[in-house]
C-alpha cells in the first residue's frame, strides 16, 4: 500500500477531496495569523508578555470544548461551518482599524472569538466528515489532514511574516479573511444530506455532559483518549526542553528551528502512511506503536549528538501524531451522529489541554532538574502509556 495510493483514494472521493482542500485553506490562514498577531502586538507595545497573550486568547476557548461542541449538535453541520467561516471573515476585517496600543482590546477580542469559533468549527467539521465521507476513508483522510496541517505550520508562518513585514498586520488579517471566504465556497460544494437535529431534551448541563459520558463509558474511546492526554502531557514537557537539548548540542537557540522542521517532516510522512496502517493495525495498536516510537525518541534526545538529534526529531514527528489520528478516527467511527460534535470537542479538550500544562511544567522543571534526567523519565512514562494501551482488553478491529 503506497502513499500515492492513499492520497489518490482521498482525492478521488469528491467530499473527501473537498474536505481536505478546506483544511489546507483554513490552516494556511490560521497559521499565518498565529505568528503575525504576536509580532504585531510586540511592534505596537514592545512587550513580550502582551505578545504571548495572543496565543492564550486563541487557545483559552479550548477549555470550554464540551460546551462549545454542543453547538455542533444543535444545527446542521454544513450550514454551521459556512456561517462560522463568514462570521470570522467579517470579524477579521475589523482588525484593519488596529494601528496603536489602544486598539489591542479589539485584536484580543477577535482572537478569542477566533479560538471559540475554531472549537465549534473543528467539532462540526469532524462530524460532517464522518457523515459525508465513506468510513473506509476516514483514516486516510485524517492522516492527510494531519499532513496538510503540519505542512501549513511550516509554510504559512513564513508567508505571514513576509506579508506582515511588507504591508503590516492588517494585510495578514485580510489574507486570513479571504481564506475563510474560500473555505465557505468549498463547504458549499460538499454533497451531503443532513437531517435537521432533533429538539434538545434535558438541561444544558446534561446535554453538555453527554459527550463526556460517552467517552468515559466506551471501551474503545476511553483508553485512546486517556493515552492521548498522557502522551500530550509528556510531549508538552519534552517540548519545553528543546532549547536545553540545543544548548547541549553546542548550537545557538536558532538551531531549534532545524529540529522543528525535521519533526514536521516526520509528521508529514506518518500522515501519508496512516490510512494503510490503521486498516492493518486498528486504532489501538497504531496509537500504541506510535507512542512507543515517541518514547524511544524522547529518551534518546538526551544523547548530545547531531545525527541522533535529527533522527529523534523525525521519530517524534512520526510517533506523536499517531495517537491523535487514531483517536479522531475512532471517535468518528464509534460515536452516533447526534453526539459527534460534543464527543469530538470533549475529546479534543481532554487530549490537547494537557499539552499546555506540560509546557508550563517543563518550563519550570528545566531550571531545577537536569534535562537529560527529565527526558529519560518522560521516555519511561511514554513507554508505560504505550504498554498500557496495548494491554487494554478492548480490541479495535481493523476497518
Amino acid at each position: 500500500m503506497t502513499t500515492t495510493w492513499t492520497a489518490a483514494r482521498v482525492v478521488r472521493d469528491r467530499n473527501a477531496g473537498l474536505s481536505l482542500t478546506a483544511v489546507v485553506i483554513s490552516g494556511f490562514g490560521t497559521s499565518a495569523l498565529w505568528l503575525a498577531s504576536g509580532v504585531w502586538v510586540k511592534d505596537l507595545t514592545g512587550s513580550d508578555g502582551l505578545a504571548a497573550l495572543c496565543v492564550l486568547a486563541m487557545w483559552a476557548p479550548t477549555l470550554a470544548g464540551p460546551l462549545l461542541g454542543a453547538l455542533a449538535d444543535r444545527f446542521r453541520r454544513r450550514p454551521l461551518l459556512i456561517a462560522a467561516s463568514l462570521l470570522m471573515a467579517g470579524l477579521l476585517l475589523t482588525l484593519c482599524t488596529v494601528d496603536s496600543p489602544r486598539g489591542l482590546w479589539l485584536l484580543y477580542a477577535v482572537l478569542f472569538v477566533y479560538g471559540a469559533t475554531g472549537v465549534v468549527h473543528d467539532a462540526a467539521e469532524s462530524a460532517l466528515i464522518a457523515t459525508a465521507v465513506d468510513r473506509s476513508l476516514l483514516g486516510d483522510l485524517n492522516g492527510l489532514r494531519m499532513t496538510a496541517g503540519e505542512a501549513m505550520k511550516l509554510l504559512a508562518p513564513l508567508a505571514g511574516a513576509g506579508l506582515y513585514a511588507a504591508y503590516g498586520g492588517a494585510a495578514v488579517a485580510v489574507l486570513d479573511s479571504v481564506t475563510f471566504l474560500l473555505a465557505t465556497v468549498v463547504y458549499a460544494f460538499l454533497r451531503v444530506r443532513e437531517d435537521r437535529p432533533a429538539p434538545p431534551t434535558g438541561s444544558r448541563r446534561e446535554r453538555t455532559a453527554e459527550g463526556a459520558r460517552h467517552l468515559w463509558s466506551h471501551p474503545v474511546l476511553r483508553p485512546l483518549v486517556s493515552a492521548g492526554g498522557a502522551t500530550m502531557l509528556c510531549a508538552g514537557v519534552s517540548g519545553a526542553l528543546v532549547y536545553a537539548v540545543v544548548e547541549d548540542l553546542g548550537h545557538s537557540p536558532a538551531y531549534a528551528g532545524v529540529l522543528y522542521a525535521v519533526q514536521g517532516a516526520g509528521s508529514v510522512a506518518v500522515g501519508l502512511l496512516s490510512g494503510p496502517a490503521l486498516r492493518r493495525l486498528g486504532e489501538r495498536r497504531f496509537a500504541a506503536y506510535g507512542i512507543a516510537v515517541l518514547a524511544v525518541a524522547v529518551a534518546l534526545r538526551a544523547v548530545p549528538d547531531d545525527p541522533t538529534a535529527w533522527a529523534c526529531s523525525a521519530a517524534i514527528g512520526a510517533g506523536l501524531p499517531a495517537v491523535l489520528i487514531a483517536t479522531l478516527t475512532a471517535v468518528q467511527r464509534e460515536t452516533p451522529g447526534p453526539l459527534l460534535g460534543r464527543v469530538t470537542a470533549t475529546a479534543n479538550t481532554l487530549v490537547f489541554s494537557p499539552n499546555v500544562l506540560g509546557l508550563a511544567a517543563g518550563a519550570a522543571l528545566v531550571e531545577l532538574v537536569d534535562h537529560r534526567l527529565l527526558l529519560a523519565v518522560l521516555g519511561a512514562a511514554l513507554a508505560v502509556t504505550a504498554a498500557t494501551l496495548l494491554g487494554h482488553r478492548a480490541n479495535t478491529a481493523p476497518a
Side-chain angles (χ1 to χ4, degrees):
M1 299 180 184
T2 65
T3 57
T4 302
W5 176 75
T6 297
R9 277 170 55 87
V10 172
V11 174
R12 282 199 301 263
D13 185 281
R14 174 189 171 88
N15 283 342
L18 288 172
S19 299
L20 183 61
T21 301
V23 169
V24 172
I25 294 171
S26 300
F28 185 89
T30 299
S31 296
L33 183 68
W34 172 77
L35 175 65
S37 61
V39 179
W40 196 354
V41 172
K42 173 70 174 177
D43 283 347
L44 288 176
T45 66
S47 170
D48 292 328
L50 291 176
L53 284 180
C54 293
V55 177
L56 178 61
M58 294 181 72
W59 176 86
T62 305
L63 296 175
L67 180 62
L68 293 172
L71 294 176
D73 292 331
R74 289 287 305 277
F75 306 96
R76 288 181 296 166
R77 277 69 180 253
R78 190 177 69 155
L80 179 61
L81 287 170
I82 292 173
S85 297
L86 290 175
L87 169 66
M88 288 313 307
L91 279 179
L92 283 164
L93 293 179
T94 65
L95 296 183
C96 293
T97 63
V98 177
D99 56 4
S100 70
R102 288 180 297 178
L104 288 184
W105 69 269
L106 178 60
L107 176 59
Y108 290 133
V110 170
L111 291 177
F112 184 83
V113 176
Y114 197 118
T117 304
V119 174
V120 178
H121 183 282
D122 288 347
E125 184 179 57
S126 178
L128 182 65
I129 287 173
T131 303
V133 175
D134 189 280
R135 290 197 167 223
S136 67
L137 285 177
L138 288 177
D140 299 279
L141 179 56
N142 289 330
L144 289 176
R145 289 172 70 194
M146 178 69 68
T147 295
E150 291 301 320
M152 290 305 100
K153 289 177 185 177
L154 294 174
L155 299 176
L158 296 176
L163 187 62
Y164 178 86
Y167 301 105
V172 182
V174 171
L175 169 67
D176 199 9
S177 176
V178 170
T179 64
F180 274 108
L181 292 176
L182 292 175
T184 299
V185 175
V186 173
Y187 291 131
F189 278 99
L190 283 172
R191 292 175 181 170
V192 58
R193 291 180 61 87
E194 293 186 275
D195 296 327
R196 187 179 297 276
T201 59
S203 67
R204 179 177 299 179
R205 177 181 295 180
E206 291 172 340
R207 296 195 303 270
T208 301
E210 280 186 280
R213 281 200 298 269
H214 179 77
L215 285 175
W216 183 254
S217 62
H218 200 287
V220 172
L221 298 182
R222 182 171 65 181
L224 277 171
V225 171
S226 300
T231 300
M232 293 302 289
L233 176 66
C234 293
V237 178
S238 175
L241 307 180
V242 65
Y243 291 105
V245 170
V246 169
E247 183 180 1
D248 204 26
L249 290 170
H251 296 290
S252 68
Y255 191 75
V258 177
L259 298 183
Y260 280 128
V262 175
Q263 181 174 326
S267 297
V268 169
V270 78
L272 294 173
L273 295 169
S274 62
L278 281 168
R279 281 189 290 276
R280 180 178 294 274
L281 301 172
E283 287 93 348
R284 181 174 57 89
R285 284 197 293 163
F286 178 61
Y289 293 160
I291 298 170
V293 170
L294 180 65
V296 175
V298 167
L300 288 179
R301 258 191 166 177
V303 179
D305 175 71
D306 279 317
T308 302
W310 281 47
C312 289
S313 293
I316 289 171
L320 182 58
V323 68
L324 306 179
I325 295 170
T327 301
L328 175 58
T329 304
V331 165
Q332 290 171 323
R333 286 179 176 158
E334 302 288 339
T335 304
L339 273 178
L340 197 45
R342 280 164 285 180
V343 173
T344 299
T346 302
N348 286 342
T349 297
L350 294 174
V351 170
F352 290 106
S353 296
N355 184 251
V356 179
L357 299 176
L359 284 168
L365 289 172
V366 73
E367 301 293 337
L368 304 173
V369 184
D370 187 281
H371 74 279
R372 288 164 291 191
L373 175 60
L374 289 173
L375 289 170
V377 171
L378 290 172
L382 287 166
V384 170
T385 302
T388 302
L389 185 57
L390 269 180
H392 201 275
R393 289 174 180 250
N395 183 33
T396 307

